[in-house]
């Protein structure tokens, strides 16, 4: 995220006050040696996440893969607890799980970024050289935003430790009525028909979010296309992302410059982070390269607000991984704690587990799943099979520690006949529906799911659950499935931010079957419903359900029996290195 609004400034300030550690390695030999050694714990081990990447600062910039290494870049202020001096910190990994911090990659050093190096993206040139496009601030009295480019000083260095900025920066400046203080976050560029193209997020005077298209033949001189690629009445578009997906629903990702204009087998995803709502939204549609226009397949797509994640998830960025031919999604999760507690504990903000993302065979939404590499952290396991949970009952999963766990469960409801009717007033508002029909409100079919990070007496618990409703009159009569994360009882601390999060699950549950996967990591619960159709990440800070005292249950608060066809839970080890 580039412009770092008020919320972002708060996280940056907290992180600097906390003085988080950030070990930097100078050469490849040091990195390889460090990757094989477990560093000593330097933070409170009870609630700091164990296997989620937790850098000094929150937003991810320009993830890329180069010569066998994955790179992520993230923003922080190395000079103090004030807004300014924004640089790009840099960590590398062989497997997207074990991370080693390097020295900052990009720092203010030229007139066009003197007052901050904000977010951007990486593009791989035809000869394999990565280029970073980023937003710079060039004035001390106003956040006047321009776009810059940087290249590796040494292409043979797989760690990309040094970057240089050519003299022709800035390469894009606002003009022609563009709001210069709301003009940021260049996307990965794509090339077709002899031109490079990229998008920059902005907003018009009428509060329409816009994605401006800029074109170039040489990656030096860029010209804005008169009309935006797309716009909608949503407020400022931050961190836009635009990429192709295989329309056949295959998991394989597509390189950003794939020639898909007008091709029936290729669709495009346009994602924007809405500054007003603090959520990421996307649409799926068709890209006309000649007209430089994007049209969502769903005419009401900009109002439907499909989301990558229906919880704490913002400022996300995808990249194409050529090593495994997949598209990977990174996202940032903010805290649910008070400012004073953030300062005391020493961190603020984490990265979600990287997710593979692809188009659902229906073509109506994306599917997401944790990258396969996270399974290498699985340890001791416990499995339950064919266990029926009666109404109002629960079932504990024993034999392992679950404060840091990976849980996969398949549920089966023998009958949907008892599903309660869906209130028409809440039919389009999953969060309100979840708030009104939470985990402790008895339903017809559900709520059923998991209690995670629960204390022994279940005084503390975070519920991740499904609830099935009869369709509203006049609809297609397809049962409506709601997925919720309810942390309202995650802690008795009244100062914690504990909102319920929810999304509808576009799945056929006529056979009564549905699956859930939850990644539990001390103070984060990241859940994937129905094979990744609906995802919810939530931050929670229990006071009792910590470490060995955390319990895991399957529960059923509906009036119909629910069968756990299979549940497997794994203890999750910590990575050797976690980036900070």
């Amino acid at each position: 995220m580039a412009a770092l609004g008020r919320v972002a400034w708060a996280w940056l300030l907290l992180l600097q006050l906390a003085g988080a550690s950030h070990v930097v390695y100078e050469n490849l030999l040091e990195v390889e040696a460090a990757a094989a050694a477990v560093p000593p714990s330097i933070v409170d081990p009870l609630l700091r996440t164990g296997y989620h990447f937790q850098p000094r600062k929150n937003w991810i910039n320009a993830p890329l893969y180069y010569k066998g290494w994955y790179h992520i870049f993230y923003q922080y202020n190395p000079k103090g607890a004030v807004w300014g001096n924004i640089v790009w910190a840099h960590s590398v990994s062989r497997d997207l799980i074990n991370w080693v911090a390097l020295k900052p990659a990009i720092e203010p050093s030229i007139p066009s970024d003197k007052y901050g190096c904000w977010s951007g993206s990486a593009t791989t040139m035809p000869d394999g050289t990565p280029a970073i496009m980023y937003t710079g601030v060039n004035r001390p009295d106003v956040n006047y935003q321009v776009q810059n480019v940087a290249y590796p000083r040494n292409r043979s260095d797989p760690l990309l430790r040094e970057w240089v900025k050519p003299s022709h920066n800035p390469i894009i400046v606002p003009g022609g009525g563009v709001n210069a203080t709301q003009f940021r976050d260049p996307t990965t560029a794509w090339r077709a028909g002899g031109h490079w193209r990229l998008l920059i997020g902005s907003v018009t005077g009428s509060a329409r979010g816009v994605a401006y298209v800029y074109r170039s033949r040489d990656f030096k001189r860029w010209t804005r296309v008169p009309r935006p690629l797309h716009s909608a009445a949503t407020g400022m578009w931050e961190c836009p992302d635009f990429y192709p997906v295989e329309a056949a629903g295959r998991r394989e990702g597509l390189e950003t410059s794939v020639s898909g204009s007008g091709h029936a087998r290729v669709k495009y995803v346009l994602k924007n982070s809405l500054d007003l709502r603090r959520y990421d939204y996307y649409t799926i549609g068709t890209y006309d390269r000649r007209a430089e226009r994007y049209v969502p397949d769903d005419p009401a797509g900009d109002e439907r607000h499909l989301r990558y994640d229906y919880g704490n998830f913002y400022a996300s960025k995808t990249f194409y991984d050529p090593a495994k031919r997949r598209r990977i999604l990174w996202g940032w999760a903010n805290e649910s704690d008070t400012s004073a507690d953030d300062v005391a504990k020493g961190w603020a903000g984490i990265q979600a587990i990287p997710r593979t993302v692809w188009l659902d065979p229906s073509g109506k939404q994306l599917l997401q799943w944790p990258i396969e590499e996270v399974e290498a952290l699985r340890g001791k396991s416990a499995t339950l099979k064919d266990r029926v949970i009666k109404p109002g009952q629960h079932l504990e999963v024993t034999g392992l520690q679950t404060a840091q766990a990976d849980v996969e469960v398949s549920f089966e409801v023998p009958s949907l006949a008892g599903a309660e009717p869906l209130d028409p007033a809440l039919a389009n508002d999953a969060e309100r529906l979840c708030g009104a029909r939470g985990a402790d409100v008895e339903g017809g079919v559900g709520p059923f799911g998991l209690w995670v990070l629960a204390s022994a007496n279940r005084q503390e618990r975070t519920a991740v659950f499904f609830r099935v409703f009869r369709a509203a009159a006049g609809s297609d009569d397809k049962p409506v499935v709601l997925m919720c994360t309810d942390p309202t009882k995650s802690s008795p601390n009244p100062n914690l931010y504990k909102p319920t999060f929810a999304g509808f699950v576009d799945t056929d549950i006529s056979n009564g079957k549905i699956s859930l996967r939850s990644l539990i990591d001390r103070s984060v619960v990241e859940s994937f419903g129905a094979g990744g159709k609906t995802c919810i990440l939530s931050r929670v800070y229990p006071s009792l359900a910590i470490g060995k005292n955390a319990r895991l249950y399957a529960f059923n608060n509906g009036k119909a029996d629910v069968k756990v066809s299979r549940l497997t839970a794994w203890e999750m080890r910590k990575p050797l290195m976690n980036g900070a």
Side-chain angles (χ1 to χ4, degrees):
M1 188 161 128
L4 304 185
R6 289 189 300 271
V7 174
W9 295 0
W11 296 137
L12 183 129
L13 178 64
L14 292 172
L15 210 51
Q16 290 308 310
L17 288 173
S21 169
H22 193 72
V23 180
V24 170
Y25 297 89
E26 296 293 339
N27 57 60
L28 182 58
L29 290 178
E30 287 186 12
V31 170
E32 304 243 355
V38 181
S41 176
I42 53 175
V43 295
D44 180 349
L46 296 181
L47 290 172
R48 182 181 172 99
T49 55
Y51 60 95
H52 283 70
F53 179 79
Q54 192 162 334
R56 291 193 66 181
K57 190 61 191 80
N58 35 38
W59 284 277
I60 286 296
N61 298 294
L64 64 92
Y65 180 85
Y66 188 71
K67 293 185 181 295
W69 291 87
Y70 294 98
H71 298 252
I72 55 174
F73 302 88
Y74 42 98
Q75 297 179 335
Y76 75 106
N77 179 352
K79 296 186 178 180
V82 294
W83 170 245
N85 306 305
I86 300 303
V87 305
W88 283 35
H90 182 196
S91 291
V92 295
S93 172
R94 289 286 197 185
D95 59 6
L96 289 165
I97 298 297
N98 295 281
W99 292 94
V100 177
L102 304 177
K103 66 181 181 181
I106 299 177
E107 302 178 271
S109 63
I110 58 176
S112 54
D113 68 13
K114 183 176 181 179
Y115 299 96
C117 299
W118 290 359
S119 286
S121 302
T123 298
T124 300
M125 308 302 287
D127 65 357
T129 302
I132 285 178
M133 300 278 286
Y134 67 99
T135 298
V137 177
N138 66 355
R139 299 183 185 182
D141 54 342
V142 63
N143 287 328
Y144 192 96
Q145 296 154 30
V146 298
Q147 315 309 319
N148 300 295
V149 66
Y151 297 97
R153 182 181 297 277
N154 179 7
R155 287 179 48 198
S156 65
D157 177 13
L159 299 183
L160 300 174
R161 285 165 295 178
E162 294 186 74
W163 293 78
V164 295
K165 305 167 187 177
S167 60
H168 54 264
N169 277 311
I171 56 172
I172 300 175
V173 297
V178 172
N179 185 339
T181 65
Q182 305 287 328
F183 178 69
R184 52 189 178 264
D185 309 340
T187 65
T188 297
W190 67 99
R191 193 167 189 264
H195 280 93
W196 288 100
R197 297 161 172 83
L198 60 79
L199 304 181
I200 296 175
S202 189
V203 66
T204 67
S206 58
R208 292 188 68 86
V210 296
Y212 289 121
V213 182
Y214 283 79
R215 297 199 305 188
S216 174
R217 289 190 177 275
D218 58 8
F219 223 79
K220 296 180 180 180
R221 293 172 292 275
W222 295 79
T223 303
R224 180 163 62 91
V225 174
R227 295 178 62 189
L229 181 83
H230 190 58
S231 68
T234 57
M236 173 65 190
W237 280 2
E238 297 187 300
C239 303
D241 202 10
F242 188 59
Y243 56 91
V245 288
E246 175 67 62
R250 298 168 60 191
R251 285 200 180 203
E252 284 190 2
L254 296 176
E255 200 277 326
T256 309
S257 289
V258 69
S259 181
S261 183
H263 198 296
R265 292 182 58 84
V266 175
K267 287 290 184 178
Y268 278 80
V269 176
L270 177 61
K271 186 277 309 185
N272 296 289
S273 302
L274 299 191
D275 189 35
L276 293 177
R277 297 171 179 263
R278 311 304 294 178
Y279 294 127
D280 282 6
Y281 298 95
Y282 73 88
T283 56
I284 298 163
T286 301
Y287 167 49
D288 184 339
R289 173 166 54 85
R290 291 177 176 81
E292 298 293 6
R293 296 287 286 170
Y294 165 81
V295 179
D297 290 346
D298 181 355
D302 293 310
E303 288 74 42
R304 283 189 61 212
H305 294 312
L306 282 173
R307 284 164 54 180
Y308 283 147
D309 193 292
Y310 290 83
N312 286 351
F313 194 90
Y314 191 68
S316 61
K317 175 64 183 172
T318 67
F319 76 101
Y320 176 68
D321 174 12
K324 294 194 174 181
R325 299 174 65 185
R326 58 187 173 174
R327 183 159 289 273
I328 295 176
L329 169 67
W330 277 95
W332 166 67
N334 68 320
E335 299 296 316
S336 59
D337 216 347
T338 65
S339 298
D341 286 341
D342 280 339
V343 171
K345 69 178 182 285
W347 69 83
I350 64 163
Q351 295 302 320
I353 291 296
R355 304 172 182 180
T356 302
V357 60
W358 70 100
L359 187 63
D360 182 80
S362 70
K364 294 190 295 183
Q365 68 168 94
L366 296 172
L367 297 177
Q368 301 165 65
W369 201 245
I371 56 169
E372 60 184 355
E373 287 88 342
V374 75
E375 296 172 18
L377 299 177
R378 288 173 172 175
K380 184 179 180 181
S381 67
T383 298
L384 303 175
K385 295 181 181 179
D386 298 326
R387 302 288 295 273
V388 174
I389 309 178
K390 295 290 185 180
Q393 295 185 352
H394 56 266
L395 175 68
E396 184 174 2
V397 181
T398 60
L400 74 165
Q401 295 185 29
T402 60
Q404 194 169 297
D406 184 356
V407 185
E408 293 190 13
V409 57
S410 297
F411 294 104
E412 186 172 351
V413 182
S415 173
L416 300 176
E420 59 199 297
L422 179 63
D423 182 348
L426 300 176
N428 296 310
D429 195 332
E431 289 199 3
R432 282 184 59 207
L433 183 59
C434 180
R437 301 286 189 272
D440 297 324
V441 179
E442 183 186 58
V445 178
F448 62 88
L450 299 175
W451 284 329
V452 305
L453 296 176
S455 58
N457 60 3
R458 296 174 300 283
Q459 175 187 349
E460 286 185 351
R461 62 188 185 271
T462 294
V464 184
F465 65 91
F466 299 110
R467 195 175 186 122
V468 184
F469 297 87
R470 292 202 307 272
S475 68
D476 59 6
D477 295 326
K478 179 180 175 182
V480 175
V481 180
L482 179 72
M483 177 177 166
C484 297
T485 294
D486 182 353
T488 54
K489 294 190 175 180
S490 61
S491 170
N493 186 339
N495 296 320
L496 292 178
Y497 174 64
K498 297 182 285 188
T500 55
F501 292 122
F504 293 110
V505 188
D506 187 7
T507 187
D508 182 4
I509 200 173
S510 58
N511 61 3
K513 298 179 180 179
I514 195 166
S515 66
L516 176 66
R517 182 177 182 185
S518 287
L519 298 174
I520 306 160
D521 194 4
R522 305 186 185 190
S523 59
V524 61
V525 181
E526 193 169 355
S527 299
F528 303 80
K533 285 180 175 286
T534 299
C535 309
I536 301 176
L537 189 156
S538 185
R539 301 307 310 279
V540 294
Y541 281 98
S543 58
L544 300 174
I546 297 174
K548 295 180 180 180
N549 295 321
R551 307 289 185 92
L552 171 67
Y553 301 86
F555 76 94
N556 174 22
N557 281 341
K559 296 178 181 178
D561 289 354
V562 172
K563 183 170 76 171
V564 175
S565 303
R566 183 182 182 90
L567 182 154
T568 302
W570 295 266
E571 292 182 358
M572 295 293 277
R573 294 182 290 266
K574 290 186 66 173
L576 297 180
M577 298 291 291
N578 207 16

